Amino acid sequence: MLLAAHPAAAASLTRITGFGTNPTNLNMYLYVPDRVAARPALLVLVHYCSGSASAIFNGNGHDYVTAADRYGYIIVVPEATRSGSCFDVSTPAA
């Protein structure tokens, strides 16, 4: 029987669910480059008010993605889901 070779999946921004207590209902995304360093750094890339994970990932933060591909670090991109897409920085729940 012949097995068809599947092309390697290109690295992409992947939504992570069920990651623990989440009182402010954030979304979380993860970017793992195709080649990860032996002991990779972790970068948290936070979007601006009214922004989104994909907007920062594909926009102003794209240089960090390019660097992750080059140096093999992992990027976590949280995403605010409240009105205005701003992170809650003032309530006890946050």
Side-chain angles (χ1 to χ4, degrees):
M1 174 159 90
L2 294 175
L3 296 177
H6 295 285
S12 62
L13 193 60
T14 303
R15 185 169 181 197
I16 305 299
T17 59
F19 54 87
T21 304
N22 189 5
T24 58
N25 197 35
L26 296 176
N27 290 329
M28 182 172 73
Y29 296 85
L30 183 67
Y31 179 76
V32 179
D34 291 331
R35 292 182 320 191
V36 177
R39 296 182 62 194
L42 177 69
L43 174 73
V44 178
L45 182 60
V46 180
H47 68 77
Y48 44 88
C49 261
S50 77
S52 67
S54 63
I56 194 72
F57 185 81
N58 294 307
N60 292 344
H62 190 70
D63 287 344
Y64 294 109
V65 178
T66 301
D69 291 335
R70 182 174 182 181
Y71 298 110
Y73 62 80
I74 296 168
I75 302 174
V76 172
V77 189
E79 181 178 68
T81 58
R82 19 183 286 150
S83 177
S85 298
C86 294
F87 289 97
D88 179 358
V89 297
S90 60
T91 69

